[in-house]
C-alpha cells in the first residue's frame, strides 16, 4: 500500500528553490533514507510531508488521500480540516533537536498527545507509554525530566513519544546529528529495531553506513531535486551522477 | 507601646483596601494580559498593532494621570464611577499593559521546536499554548512579574488622590492628628511585610518550577 505520495511538489524560500518538482512514493513497511549535501532540501522534503513546511505547488497524499494539493498557478484544492488531521495522525516525527517538552517528565512527554489529542484515559496512555519506554530501554527514566538525561536518551524518548500516537509512518529528521558520537549508536539501534518490525520510515541522515544497512531505498538529493532513488547498492556503490560520486567519496 | 499598638491597628484598617485593590488587579490583569499577549503573538497584524498602541499609551503616561482621567475625566462624559471601581479599572488597564509585554516576551522566547513538536503530535493551537508554551513562558517571566507585583502593592497608595482610605492615608491621618513620625514608620514596616510576602510567594513558585531545569 502507498503510504506517502508526493506529486510535482515545489517549494521556494524567496527566490531560492528548496524543492524542485519532487515526485516520491513510499510504500508500507518501506524504509527510505534521504541523503545529500546540506541545503539540498532533505529536511524541507520531510517536513513538507506533515506540513511543518508549506509547499508552493504540488500534491501530497497520505495513505491515498490528499493533505495538500496546489496547482501550478497557486490554486488550493479545498481539503476538509478533519481529513487533514486524520491523515496527519498517521505520521509521527522525530527531530534533530529532540524537542521534548522540558516541563514534563519522560512519561508525561509520551502520554501528552494520546491523552490531550486522542482523549485516551491517562491510565491507558501511561500503560502504553511504559511499554514504549521499555522498548527503547528507558523504563527507569520515566519520572526524570528531559534535562536530567543524555542526548541519546532524549532522542529515544522522542522516538517513544512519536510512537505513542501509534503512527503508520515515522519521519526522522537527522535524528543523530545533534548527538555526541558515542551516543549515536543507541539511537540508530532503536531505529533499526523499528525497521525490522516493518515500520514505514523516512529518515534524513548523514550516517552512510546506517543508511546502507537499514534502507530499502536511498534517495539522493541536491539543490532541491531528487538525483537518485534506488536500492543502497544502486545509489551508493555505483553512482552514475558525478555529484553523488563526489558526495559518497567523502564518506569512505 | 500602647500608642504604637493603637496606631498600628488603625493603619492596618486601611490595609484592607490596599489588599483588595491588589487582589482585584491581579485577578483582572493576569488573565487579560495572557490573552492579549497571545493576541500580539498569534493574532492578525491589526490586533498586534492595536495592542502595541495600547501598551504605548498606558506604559507611557503616569498611572496617576490615568487614575485622574478615569475617575474625574470620565465624569465629564456623564460616566461617574465609584472610587473603588475607578481605581480597580485603572489599575487593571495599567498593569495589563505591562504584564502583556512581559508575557509576550516570555512566549516569544520559547524555542520554535516546541511548536513543531506540538504540531507534529497534532495538538491544536489552544492545546499547544495551554499545555506546552504558556507553562514554560510564564515560568520564565516570574522574575519580572514579581517586580510588577511589588510595584503594585506600593502603587495602590495613589488612590489617596481620589479620596480613598488606604493604609498610607490612615498613617497620614494619625500624623496630622498627633504630629509624630511613628505612623509613617509603622506604614513603612507594613509595606515591607506586604512586599516580603509577595517576594516569598514568587520565590516559592520559582522553586517549585525549578525541578525541570
Amino acid at each position: 500500500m502507498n503510504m506517502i505520495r508526493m506529486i510535482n511538489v515545489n517549494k521556494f524560500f524567496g527566490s531560492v528553490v528548496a524543492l524542485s518538482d519532487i515526485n516520491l512514493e513510499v510504500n508500507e513497511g518501506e524504509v527510505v533514507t534521504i541523503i545529500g549535501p546540506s541545503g539540498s532540501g532533505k529536511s524541507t522534503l520531510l517536513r513538507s510531508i506533515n506540513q511543518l513546511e508549506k509547499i508552493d505547488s504540488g500534491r501530497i497524499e497520505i495513505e491515498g488521500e490528499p493533505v495538500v494539493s496546489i496547482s501550478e498557478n497557486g490554486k488550493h484544492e479545498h481539503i476538509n480540516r478533519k481529513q487533514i488531521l486524520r491523515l496527519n495522525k498517521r505520521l509521527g516525527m522525530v527531530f534533530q533537536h529532540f524537542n521534548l517538552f522540558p516541563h514534563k517528565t519522560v512519561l508525561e512527554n509520551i502520554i501528552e498527545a494520546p491523552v490531550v489529542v486522542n482523549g485516551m484515559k491517562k491510565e491507558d496512555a501511561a500503560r502504553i507509554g511504559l511499554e514504549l519506554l521499555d522498548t527503547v530501554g528507558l523504563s527507569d527514566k520515566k519520572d526524570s525530566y528531559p534535562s536530567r538525561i543524555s542526548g541519546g536518551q532524549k532522542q529515544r524518548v522522542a522516538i517513544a513519544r512519536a510512537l505513542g500516537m501509534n503512527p503508520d509512518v515515522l519521519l526522522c529528521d537527522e535524528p543523530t546529528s545533534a548527538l555526541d558520537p558515542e551516543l549515536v549508536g543507541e539511537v540508530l539501534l532503536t531505529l533499526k529495531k523499528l525497521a525490522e518490525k516493518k515500520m514505514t520510515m523516512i529518515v534524513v541522515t548523514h550516517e552512510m553506513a546506517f543508511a546502507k544497512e537499514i534502507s530499502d531505498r536511498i534517495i539522493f538529493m541536491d539543490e532541491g531535486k531528487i538525483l537518485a532513488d534506488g536500492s543502497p547498492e544502486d545509489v551508493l556503490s555505483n553512482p552514475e551522477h558525478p555529484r553523488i560520486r563526489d558526495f559518497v567519496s567523502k564518506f569512505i | 507601646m500602647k500608642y504604637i499598638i493603637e496606631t498600628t491597628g488603625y493603619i492596618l484598617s486601611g490595609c484592607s483596601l490596599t489588599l483588595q485593590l491588589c487582589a482585584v488587579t491581579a485577578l483582572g490583569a493576569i488573565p487579560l494580559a495572557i490573552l492579549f499577549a497571545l493576541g500580539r503573538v498569534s493574532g492578525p497584524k491589526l490586533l498586534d498593532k492595536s495592542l502595541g498602541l495600547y501598551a504605548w499609551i498606558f506604559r507611557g503616561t503616569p498611572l496617576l494621570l490615568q487614575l485622574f482621567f478615569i475617575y474625574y475625566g470620565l465624569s465629564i462624559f456623564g460616566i461617574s464611577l465609584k472610587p473603588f471601581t475607578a481605581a480597580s479599572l485603572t489599575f487593571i488597564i495599567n498593569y495589563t499593559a505591562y504584564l502583556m509585554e512581559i508575557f509576550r516576551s516570555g512566549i516569544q522566547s520559547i524555542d520554535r521546536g516546541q511548536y513543531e513538536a506540538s504540531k507534529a503530535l497534532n495538538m491544536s493551537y489552544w492545546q499547544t499554548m495551554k499545555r506546552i508554551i504558556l507553562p514554560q513562558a510564564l515560568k520564565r517571566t516570574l522574575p519580572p512579574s514579581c517586580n510588577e507585583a511589588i510595584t503594585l502593592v506600593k502603587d495602590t497608595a495613589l488612590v489617596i488622590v481620589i479620596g480613598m482610605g488606604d493604609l498610607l492615608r490612615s498613617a497620614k491621618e494619625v500624623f496630622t492628628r498627633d504630629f509624630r513620625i511613628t505612623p509613617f514608620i509603622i506604614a513603612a514596616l507594613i509595606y515591607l511585610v506586604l512586599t516580603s510576602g509577595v517576594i516569598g510567594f514568587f520565590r516559592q513558585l520559582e522553586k517549585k518550577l525549578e525541578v525541570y531545569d
Side-chain angles (χ1 to χ4, degrees):
Chain A
M1 187 175 137
N2 206 285
M3 300 300 266
I4 305 285
R5 194 159 170 226
M6 303 176 81
I7 306 160
N8 301 332
V9 170
N10 288 287
K11 158 114 189 136
F12 307 93
F13 289 120
S15 59
V16 180
V17 182
L19 296 176
S20 170
D21 202 28
I22 297 292
N23 286 282
L24 174 67
E25 286 184 22
V26 177
N27 294 314
E28 191 173 1
E30 242 186 335
V31 176
V32 175
T33 49
I34 308 178
I35 60 170
S38 49
S40 59
K42 312 182 291 288
S43 287
T44 308
L45 187 155
L46 194 74
R47 291 159 56 84
S48 67
I49 296 173
N50 65 352
Q51 296 110 66
L52 286 181
E53 301 283 357
K54 302 249 173 292
I55 62 170
D56 291 307
S57 69
R59 182 180 174 93
I60 297 174
E61 293 174 0
I62 298 169
E63 302 184 359
E65 294 179 84
V67 280
V68 54
S69 182
I70 307 169
S71 67
E72 240 166 276
N73 57 27
K75 210 167 142 4
H76 288 245
E77 181 189 316
H78 177 74
I79 299 162
N80 184 307
R81 284 172 74 121
K82 279 200 176 133
Q83 173 174 327
I84 297 176
L85 179 65
R86 175 169 54 83
L87 295 171
N88 273 340
K89 279 189 185 176
R90 306 326 312 144
L91 311 173
M93 188 164 206
V94 174
F95 298 87
Q96 179 177 357
H97 296 289
F98 332 124
N99 298 348
L100 292 178
F101 304 132
H103 60 306
K104 294 187 179 289
T105 64
V106 162
L107 186 60
E108 285 168 349
N109 262 276
I110 298 172
I111 69 172
E112 177 69 15
V115 171
V116 173
V117 178
N118 287 348
M120 195 185 272
K121 272 204 202 125
K122 235 180 170 172
E123 306 84 69
D124 295 337
R127 190 172 37 76
I128 296 168
L130 286 173
E131 279 170 28
L132 286 167
L133 274 179
D134 194 43
T135 60
V136 300
L138 288 170
S139 302
D140 57 323
K141 298 288 182 195
K142 70 181 172 74
D143 295 322
S144 301
Y145 283 94
S147 58
R148 301 264 186 259
I149 59 178
S150 74
Q153 291 172 333
K154 279 183 196 157
Q155 195 60 296
R156 281 147 66 197
V157 172
I159 293 168
R161 180 175 70 173
L163 296 176
M165 289 293 271
N166 197 22
D168 294 333
V169 182
L170 191 63
L171 310 172
C172 303
D173 189 6
E174 304 201 27
T176 60
S177 297
L179 296 175
D180 290 338
E182 78 268 23
L183 301 177
V184 169
E186 60 187 79
V187 171
L188 294 184
L189 189 68
T190 306
L191 292 175
K192 203 177 137 197
K193 277 188 194 156
L194 283 176
E196 282 162 2
K197 283 186 199 156
K198 287 291 153 203
M199 181 82 191
T200 310
M201 296 204 282
I202 308 178
V203 186
V204 171
T205 187
H206 292 288
E207 300 286 338
M208 287 306 135
F210 169 73
K212 208 167 170 177
E213 190 185 342
I214 70 155
S215 305
D216 296 306
R217 269 161 62 203
I218 289 184
I219 286 169
F220 184 91
M221 286 187 74
D222 190 36
E223 294 177 340
K225 290 189 191 70
I226 293 178
L227 291 192
D229 178 351
S231 69
E233 290 74 38
D234 288 347
V235 176
L236 296 179
S237 303
N238 3 289
E240 285 166 37
H241 206 286
R243 293 289 301 207
I244 307 178
R245 217 176 300 145
D246 205 42
F247 182 79
V248 171
S249 69
K250 286 178 193 147
F251 285 92
I252 300 165
Chain B
M1 193 63 202
K2 191 162 168 264
Y3 176 77
I4 292 178
I5 292 169
E6 273 175 7
T7 309
T8 306
Y10 183 71
I11 295 174
L12 275 176
S13 71
C15 193
S16 86
L17 176 74
T18 304
L19 291 175
Q20 278 175 44
L21 201 53
C22 285
V24 169
T25 306
L27 287 175
I30 293 171
L32 265 181
I34 292 174
L35 212 59
F36 286 1
L38 289 175
R40 286 209 79 172
V41 173
S42 19
K45 216 174 202 137
L46 185 67
L47 181 64
D48 176 37
K49 282 253 160 40
S50 315
L51 289 168
L53 182 70
Y54 156 65
W56 179 66
I57 292 171
F58 283 90
R59 293 196 306 169
T61 57
L63 179 54
L64 191 55
L65 171 66
Q66 293 162 20
L67 195 57
F68 280 153
F69 189 90
I70 286 177
Y71 185 64
Y72 297 118
L74 288 185
S75 66
I76 293 174
F77 305 103
I79 306 167
S80 53
L81 301 170
K82 287 190 180 128
F84 188 78
T85 314
S88 305
L89 199 62
T90 312
F91 276 83
I92 289 174
I93 294 173
N94 182 276
Y95 274 83
T96 299
Y98 282 95
L99 288 176
M100 170 181 79
E101 289 303 277
I102 290 173
F103 294 157
R104 179 179 64 86
S105 70
I107 293 169
Q108 286 173 332
S109 75
I110 302 299
D111 181 54
R112 226 179 52 153
Q114 294 290 304
Y115 292 90
E116 293 188 345
S118 307
K119 182 155 192 289
L121 289 165
N122 293 295
M123 296 173 75
S124 70
Y125 171 79
W126 285 108
Q127 287 167 346
T128 304
M129 284 303 171
K130 185 172 154 233
R131 305 200 44 99
I132 307 301
I133 307 299
L134 285 175
Q136 297 181 60
L138 295 181
K139 177 189 179 248
R140 285 187 194 181
T141 56
L142 281 179
S145 301
C146 179
N147 279 343
E148 289 306 313
I150 292 170
T151 310
L152 172 62
V153 170
K154 297 179 295 178
D155 274 353
T156 52
L158 291 175
V159 298
I160 295 181
V161 301
I162 58 169
M164 295 177 79
D166 78 327
L167 86 89
L168 186 57
R169 182 182 169 128
S170 311
K172 176 77 177 7
E173 281 168 3
V174 180
F175 171 80
T176 313
R177 189 190 66 198
D178 303 343
F179 202 63
R180 289 172 72 168
I181 196 90
T182 329
F184 287 149
I185 293 170
I186 292 170
L189 290 174
I190 294 174
Y191 276 115
L192 278 171
V193 169
L194 292 179
T195 49
S196 301
V198 169
I199 293 168
F201 171 76
F202 274 88
R203 191 174 297 155
Q204 286 300 315
L205 212 54
E206 279 188 54
K207 213 169 200 162
K208 201 177 147 221
L209 296 173
E210 238 166 38
V211 286
Y212 69 78
D213 282 328

